[in-house]
Amino acid sequence: MVILPTTPGATDLPYSSAVIASGHFVFTSGYVGFDPATGDMPAGIEAQTAQALENLKAVLEAAGSALEHVVKTTVYLTRAEDYAGMNAVYKRYFPTERPARATLVVQLVRPDLLIEIEMVALMPDGGGT
């Protein structure tokens, strides 16, 4: 098992960015629409969805995988009415080969968070062990 450290600048968080298990799968932590480079939280579900997916894209690439290898996602929304807006952005990141997905409406840890997404991806060629 290979454990990727948490997001740069957030080293004291009690979780890893991702874990590569058995050299075949990458399990990410949940990521929100927070921009780690600027510290900004964009307004609106579309902007937060895009930022969460960009954050996850970076984590997967750091692990040696990519969005095209994602097999399962879980999306947590704070408002059911944001489902269509989230889907519009999500489809841009997964235009054809779409992973399995569960979407839930939940309460997240901060009121300005509208979405959190976690992923399971394959490692290309079983790398990462």
Side-chain angles (χ1 to χ4, degrees):
M1 178 167 62
V2 176
I3 298 175
L4 275 68
T6 58
T7 304
T11 56
D12 61 339
L13 294 174
Y15 58 85
S16 299
S17 292
V19 175
I20 303 169
S22 301
H24 299 286
F25 294 99
V26 179
F27 296 85
T28 73
S29 289
Y31 275 80
V32 298
F34 177 79
D35 185 342
T38 65
D40 293 337
M41 178 69 71
I45 190 61
E46 291 86 357
Q48 286 194 26
T49 301
Q51 186 61 59
L53 289 166
E54 287 296 325
N55 294 344
L56 284 157
K57 180 180 173 184
V59 167
L60 290 174
E61 289 172 357
S65 191
L67 286 176
E68 59 263 21
H69 300 296
V70 174
V71 295
K72 173 75 167 80
T73 65
T74 305
V75 177
Y76 303 94
L77 295 172
T78 60
R79 303 181 311 208
E81 60 267 22
D82 285 339
Y83 185 76
M86 175 276 298
N87 260 342
V89 175
Y90 185 93
K91 287 178 186 178
R92 292 195 318 249
Y93 285 82
F94 299 104
T96 55
E97 302 284 328
R98 295 189 177 130
R101 185 180 89 187
T103 304
L104 305 122
V105 176
V106 300
Q107 181 177 344
L108 296 176
V109 297
R110 288 181 22 188
D112 57 341
L113 299 175
L114 302 177
I115 188 167
E116 183 171 343
I117 304 172
E118 62 184 24
M119 296 180 171
V120 177
L122 293 172
M123 289 298 293
D125 302 319
T129 53

